[in-house]
Amino acid sequence: MQYIERTLDNNNLITLVLLGCILLITVAKWKYPLRFQEFMRLPFTNKYFFIYGKNDPIYHPFSLLLFAVQLSIGTLFIFLFLRWNAPEIIQTKPYLYWQLLILASVLASIKIVIERILGYLFKLEEVIDSYVYQKLTYRNLIAFLFIVSVILITYIIPMSIEFLISFCAIIILLNGIALYSSFKARSNLIIRNFFYFILYLCALEISPYIILYKVFI
């Protein structure tokens, strides 16, 4: 009997995750049409935060739906990077995407909990909650770019170092703009608590990306 080597094709998984993300976005738009409309205007105006950011908690269903999209598509992008850069890992670990998704969900949840604990310890609950809500909202919007990029590198153009560098530069730039906007709105508070701000920035904003870089590069 002659054995034929089996080739693992992950495109079905990628398509499933993309459809799941689109479904979650559709549900968010259907359940909260006005909120979604203002959310999509964030690149041009901060009106969304004045309408919905003051009284709504970070665990509002709209935010949770888009947060699920953010985690799913962000993990899928990492999965595609590993498939391109280290295909042997994908072949030996058939459930790698789901393992990465669980890990990302746990780490993101722990990070949010720590941020809220710090807010309680420093008597800044309202400010920290507002900051976390704003940062989460911006990153939910950036997740839409990840959907476009995953579609491109899966069905249209192959992954390349040029595409990867360009896309990562865009994401870092957009994250920087979002963080600057958040910090600028709280500049007086940051100046009064500059030491705690630097400690927070190093521990919870910079170190996670350094860890990811060390793990995957």
Side-chain angles (χ1 to χ4, degrees), residues 28-38:
K29 183 178 180 180
W30 172 63
K31 291 287 291 182
Y32 308 97
L34 296 179
R35 191 186 189 104
F36 187 86
Q37 186 177 14
E38 291 299 333

Side-chain angles (χ1 to χ4, degrees), residues 36-111:
F36 187 86
Q37 186 177 14
E38 291 299 333
F39 171 76
M40 294 303 296
R41 291 176 179 169
L42 268 176
F44 312 103
T45 174
N46 288 332
K47 185 179 176 182
Y48 177 89
F49 296 117
F50 292 103
I51 299 176
Y52 302 106
K54 293 183 178 180
N55 300 317
D56 291 341
I58 60 175
Y59 47 83
H60 187 278
F62 180 84
S63 297
L64 291 180
L65 285 169
L66 296 184
F67 184 54
V69 173
Q70 178 192 150
L71 288 175
S72 300
I73 202 66
T75 302
L76 185 58
F77 188 86
I78 293 174
F79 177 83
L80 289 173
F81 169 76
L82 291 175
R83 189 178 73 166
W84 169 72
N85 189 58
E88 66 280 0
I89 297 178
I90 305 299
Q91 292 177 355
T92 57
K93 296 183 178 181
Y95 302 106
L96 180 61
Y97 170 78
W98 305 108
Q99 293 169 340
L100 290 173
L101 180 59
I102 292 172
L103 178 62
S105 301
V106 171
L107 291 178
S109 300
I110 291 174
K111 186 173 182 291

Side-chain angles (χ1 to χ4, degrees), residues 155-172:
Y155 306 108
I156 301 175
I157 60 175
M159 174 81 84
S160 65
I161 189 64
E162 293 80 8
F163 177 89
L164 188 63
I165 292 174
S166 300
F167 180 73
C168 289
I170 292 172
I171 295 302
I172 291 172

